[in-house]
Amino acid sequence: MSKLKIQPLGIRVVIKPLEQEAKTASGLYIPESAKEKPQTGLIVAVGDDEEITLKVDDVVIYAKYTGTEVKLEGEDYLIMEYGDVLAKMLS
């Protein structure tokens, strides 16, 4: 992934939402209209506040229907406050 030309301010982060699987475990395909809004994403930029403990490339779970949707370089991203991130996925 190329480095985005965006720097969130303060306690904000930029997240690339990770899309759901298009197929269920039993093999059924899920139409776009039935998919839920993603709640996991990849951190691609972090603000300059010292309170933020997340790093670029962390996979996180965030609150549903939060953040501001933006399109950068043809891709969809969310800019949200650090407090709207609920958890960091551990590898």
Side-chain angles (χ1 to χ4, degrees):
M1 172 183 283
S2 65
K3 182 159 172 53
L4 286 179
K5 296 182 181 185
I6 187 170
Q7 173 64 51
L9 300 176
I11 59 169
R12 291 179 182 82
V13 295
V14 179
I15 295 178
K16 168 107 177 99
L18 299 175
E19 294 299 322
Q20 287 183 316
E21 294 284 330
K23 191 167 68 168
T24 66
S26 61
L28 297 175
Y29 285 93
I30 303 170
E32 287 295 319
S33 60
K35 285 185 182 179
E36 284 193 33
K37 193 168 183 174
Q39 286 181 262
T40 59
L42 181 70
I43 300 285
V44 295
V46 295
D48 53 7
D49 193 286
E50 293 175 10
E51 179 182 324
I52 299 176
T53 59
L54 298 171
K55 300 181 300 285
V56 172
D57 293 331
D58 283 346
V59 176
V60 296
I61 298 171
Y62 53 88
K64 201 173 213 176
Y65 307 114
T66 191
T68 301
E69 296 177 358
V70 294
K71 190 176 258 321
L72 301 168
E73 300 174 5
E75 298 282 337
D76 292 325
Y77 295 92
L78 288 170
I79 298 175
M80 68 179 64
E81 296 215 4
Y82 170 68
D84 290 329
V85 175
L86 304 175
K88 178 171 112 173
M89 302 292 288
L90 301 175
S91 51

